[in-house]
Amino acid sequence: MKKILHLMKPYKWTAVCAVLFTVMNNICVLYLPGVFAKIINDGALKGDMPYVYKMGGLMLLVAVLSGVTYIASAVYASKVTSSFARDLRRSVFVKAQEYSMSDYQKFGSASLITRCTNDITIIQRSFMMILQMLLPAPIMAAVGLVLAFRTNATMGLVMAAIIGITGGIAYSIGSKAIPLFRQLQVKMDNLTRILREIISGVRVIRAFHKEKYEEERFGSSCKDYCDIAIETNKIFAVLLPTLTLLTNLGIICILLFGGVKVSEGMMQIGSIFALIEYLTIILFTVTMAILVFMEIPRAQSCWERLQEVLDLEPEIQDKENALPQGGALTPIRAQLEFRNVSFRYTNAEEAVLNKISFTSKAGETTAIIGGTGSGKSTIANLIPRFFDVDEGEILIDGVDIRNLSQKELRSRIGFIPQKTFLFRGTIASNIRYGKEDASDTEIIQAAKTAQAHTFISSMEKGYDSFVAQGGTNLSGGQKQRIAIARALVRKPEIYVFDDSFSALDYKTDALLRKALRQEIKNKEASLIIVAQRISTILDADRIIVLDQGEIAGIGTHQELMKNCLAYKQIAASQLSESQLKKEVV
């Protein structure tokens, strides 16, 4: 709560100005019926035209003032609500950037998107309505009743009774919509989640001819949302005509009682028109306030959902004395060491990694291979600290990565994830994502090392060729090579390839590995390769074989072929008999 309220602090006086201008506008509107009543009573009925012109000019002046204050109110209210929504959206986005992978799983990407867009929009709209309708409503009602009592005390009591009855009925009807508003946000989350899945998985859906199934699934979600929305609108369908009926009944009461007073000579006819205007304006204001009040629970639900995002402390945080970015940490360079590392995913029954220990030094290539679920990608994700180890240490240049700031740690790592993702833009902008100030020469050199320069040059616009979101207009191999170039251009100490050669043909794979070996020797970097194919790691200085989260063997290809059963089994599944005999010899 404090974090969100703190965002409102810079705009408190702007909000006060918005409310004051709204009140001034409403007072001007309430003042007009009184002037009109005087024109009828003291001017028109007595034939005093100079007085009519004089008071008409006053009405015109008040009307102009009312228009000016309304514009000022709208400008100030728009400024404060838009600025607050901007700051809130930025705060939620920045907070989400601090989350670890485990933190993201607590909300889900679809829910985070909904909270950052739809929820904040609802809060912004509700805030605007509160400033312009809800807060001025009590002042309007009080001023209107005072003016009504000044016009005629008895009629003032009648108006107060009408307003009280109308407000009570409106609230009793409207309160039924409050729980429905909360349900709408939950249904919107589900709708966004399914829509995101369908758009992201459109190729799989078409490949398995599941369009009809997905239509029904999405249609079912839409129907759930629609049903709640219809129930809400049904309440409004009853509420608004009811308020209109009550307003008209109030006008009839004023005409009835006012007509009796006029016939008795206790009230002038102009006062009846003034009272009708007072009642109409007050009831309209009260009605709008009730509608806003009904909207508040929905905004409150959104508010609470945003609070959850802002209040969640990231699982992975920098220590207060974490080493900042820049400079050498120790005389050691480009050395990665795992010391008795164990790790278990949240809510998992068993550990994914158990007592993993190895060291990779500058100029060396360390490969990690194993069966599905053996923990290969987990090791890759632990290096840039996407997750924190449960036991043991991971050291870079002799320093525990938990003693480094996350910015410093990741500046030393070139990470290529298993699932390649490119951003909407150009090929050059995607490669430059690894280093913002990279020159064209650096970009081309990184692309050449990644074996991407040839196909990029063959494109009509070369490095300025368009890339769709996710790289959907490129092949899997092209995306992987651009992602590799993105990591290479930053020239880090440690390269981590999480099965990043899977979409490459054998020829390109071999050329890329050769270029990478030269790269790490020239730059004094170390290379970590997570792979499925033995052909990718044959020439590695060190191969780590994982089996059910434990190290089954460490050594070169030839050494493992002689003394590691798990590695032999993997080799037997990928190499021919002649190749196996050759390797064993």
Side-chain angles (χ1 to χ4, degrees):
M1 177 69 77
K2 290 182 180 179
K3 292 180 181 179
I4 296 181
L5 292 176
H6 180 72
L7 296 175
M8 298 175 63
K9 192 174 181 180
Y11 311 110
K12 61 181 180 180
W13 292 115
T14 309
V16 170
C17 289
V19 175
L20 288 177
F21 278 117
T22 302
V23 171
M24 290 172 63
N25 170 66
N26 292 336
I27 290 175
C28 289
V29 172
L30 284 171
Y31 182 73
L32 289 174
V35 178
F36 183 67
K38 288 183 178 181
I39 291 175
I40 294 177
N41 295 334
D42 301 335
L45 294 178
K46 296 178 181 179
D48 188 354
M49 296 309 296
Y51 181 80
V52 171
Y53 293 143
K54 177 184 176 182
M55 298 304 291
L58 179 60
M59 283 188 70
L60 181 60
L61 183 63
V62 173
V64 171
L65 181 60
S66 173
V68 171
T69 53
Y70 179 79
I71 292 172
S73 168
V75 169
Y76 276 101
S78 177
K79 183 177 180 180
V80 66
T81 55
S82 298
S83 299
F84 172 66
R86 176 200 62 202
D87 293 349
L88 183 57
R89 190 170 282 114
R90 182 191 295 128
S91 296
V92 173
F93 175 78
V94 170
K95 185 70 175 184
Q97 293 299 301
E98 299 174 1
Y99 286 164
S100 67
M101 299 299 140
S102 298
D103 295 328
Y104 274 112
Q105 293 169 4
K106 294 175 182 177
F107 294 106
S109 54
S111 181
L112 282 173
I113 291 171
T114 303
R115 294 175 199 230
C116 200
T117 53
N118 181 262
D119 287 10
I120 294 178
T121 300
I122 290 172
I123 290 175
Q124 179 182 354
R125 184 182 67 204
S126 300
F127 192 15
M128 172 79 82
M129 295 168 70
I130 287 171
L131 291 177
Q132 292 196 295
M133 297 179 186
L134 185 60
L135 293 180
I139 300 174
M140 281 286 290
V143 173
L145 285 174
V146 169
L147 293 175
F149 274 99
R150 284 184 60 187
T151 303
N152 186 281
T154 304
M155 296 303 297
L157 288 172
V158 173
M159 279 185 56
I162 294 171
I163 293 169
I165 293 171
T166 302
I169 294 175
Y171 180 77
S172 63
I173 296 175
S175 60
K176 296 178 181 179
I178 292 176
L180 296 177
F181 282 135
R182 298 181 185 275
Q183 295 180 39
L184 275 176
Q185 293 311 110
V186 177
K187 299 298 181 183
M188 177 59 71
D189 265 359
N190 191 46
L191 192 64
T192 306
R193 177 183 59 79
I194 294 175
L195 182 60
R196 185 175 181 274
E197 283 182 355
I198 292 173
I199 293 174
S200 301
V202 63
R203 293 184 181 180
V204 177
I205 293 169
R206 290 177 179 174
F208 288 89
H209 194 54
K210 287 290 185 178
E211 291 90 346
K212 188 66 177 176
Y213 170 77
E214 294 299 338
E215 285 177 13
E216 292 175 355
R217 190 163 72 104
F218 184 67
S220 176
S221 181
C222 289
K223 184 179 183 301
D224 291 341
Y225 184 86
C226 179
D227 290 342
I228 301 295
I230 289 174
E231 289 299 318
T232 305
N233 289 329
K234 282 180 180 179
I235 293 172
F236 282 101
V238 174
L239 177 62
L240 295 179
T242 301
L243 293 175
T244 302
L245 175 63
L246 292 171
T247 301
N248 291 331
L249 289 175
I251 293 172
I252 292 172
C253 289
I254 291 175
L255 289 172
L256 179 62
F257 289 107
V260 173
K261 294 289 183 181
V262 170
S263 64
E264 293 175 351
M266 299 175 64
M267 183 187 294
Q268 293 178 306
I269 192 169
S271 299
I272 295 179
F273 289 106
L275 289 169
I276 290 173
E277 286 298 313
Y278 293 148
L279 179 65
T280 303
I281 293 170
I282 293 172
L283 287 182
F284 175 78
T285 305
V286 171
T287 299
M288 292 297 102
I290 290 171
L291 294 178
V292 175
F293 190 76
M294 290 169 55
E295 182 79 7
I296 288 177
R298 186 178 187 184
Q300 183 181 2
S301 175
C302 297
W303 187 284
E304 291 169 354
R305 284 154 55 86
L306 292 174
Q307 275 183 223
E308 291 176 359
V309 176
L310 294 175
D311 290 344
L312 179 66
E313 290 300 322
E315 186 178 282
I316 296 176
Q317 300 187 50
D318 293 341
K319 292 182 178 180
E320 292 183 4
N321 58 347
L323 297 175
Q325 187 175 13
L329 302 178
T330 66
I332 307 171
R333 175 177 167 79
Q335 178 172 300
L336 172 69
E337 181 180 359
F338 273 56
R339 282 187 190 167
N340 296 317
V341 170
S342 296
F343 175 75
R344 180 195 305 268
Y345 286 107
T346 304
N347 299 325
E349 294 182 0
E350 297 181 357
V352 181
L353 299 175
N354 289 298
K355 306 296 181 182
I356 303 297
S357 296
F358 66 88
T359 302
S360 180
K361 298 179 180 179
E364 293 183 348
T365 299
T366 298
I368 302 171
I369 195 169
T372 302
S374 59
K376 304 185 300 297
S377 292
T378 301
I379 288 179
N381 287 320
L382 288 174
I383 296 171
R385 206 182 171 198
F386 293 153
F387 300 93
D388 262 343
V389 299
D390 295 328
E391 297 177 15
E393 297 175 298
I394 301 176
L395 299 96
I396 288 182
D397 297 349
V399 178
D400 191 323
I401 62 174
R402 289 170 292 191
N403 293 327
L404 300 173
S405 67
Q406 294 177 65
K407 187 175 182 180
E408 164 65 16
L409 169 64
R410 290 163 189 166
S411 70
R412 296 174 180 270
I413 298 172
F415 184 78
I416 302 91
Q418 189 174 31
K419 185 177 180 181
T420 304
F421 185 87
L422 300 182
F423 296 91
R424 180 183 174 88
T426 63
I427 291 176
S429 68
N430 270 278
I431 296 176
R432 193 173 275 119
Y433 198 84
K435 184 183 179 184
E436 292 181 7
D437 58 349
S439 64
D440 291 341
T441 303
E442 289 177 308
I443 289 174
I444 292 172
Q445 181 57 45
K448 286 181 177 178
T449 304
Q451 308 304 306
H453 179 69
T454 302
F455 84 79
I456 294 174
S457 301
S458 66
M459 294 181 171
E460 184 177 349
K461 295 184 179 180
Y463 285 84
D464 292 325
S465 299
F466 173 72
V467 177
Q469 182 181 3
T472 54
N473 60 331
L474 298 173
S475 70
Q478 289 173 335
K479 287 193 293 183
Q480 280 193 342
R481 281 176 279 176
I482 292 173
I484 292 170
R486 180 170 60 194
L488 291 172
V489 78
R490 71 188 308 177
K491 299 172 184 175
E493 293 182 14
I494 298 170
Y495 293 98
V496 181
F497 289 77
D498 184 8
D499 197 16
S500 305
F501 305 110
S502 57
L504 304 182
D505 59 78
Y506 286 96
K507 179 182 177 181
T508 305
D509 186 340
L511 291 172
L512 178 54
R513 284 186 285 111
K514 182 179 179 181
L516 283 174
R517 283 198 303 274
Q518 190 63 41
E519 180 78 11
I520 65 173
K521 287 179 181 179
N522 293 341
K523 301 294 189 301
E524 293 185 350
S526 62
L527 176 62
I528 310 297
I529 298 177
V530 174
Q532 298 281 359
R533 298 192 311 217
I534 282 185
S535 60
T536 302
I537 61 174
L538 286 174
D539 53 359
D541 299 289
R542 181 182 302 100
I543 299 174
I544 300 171
V545 184
L546 292 180
D547 185 17
Q548 296 183 353
E550 297 181 350
I551 294 180
I554 297 181
T556 62
H557 172 70
Q558 289 76 15
E559 291 171 346
L560 292 172
M561 286 297 294
K562 294 177 181 178
N563 56 34
C564 182
L565 178 60
Y567 188 78
K568 289 180 183 178
Q569 291 174 342
I570 296 172
S573 66
Q574 297 184 19
L575 302 176
S576 64
E577 290 186 14
S578 59
Q579 288 175 314
L580 284 172
K581 290 178 181 178
K582 181 179 178 181
E583 297 298 342
V584 172
V585 173

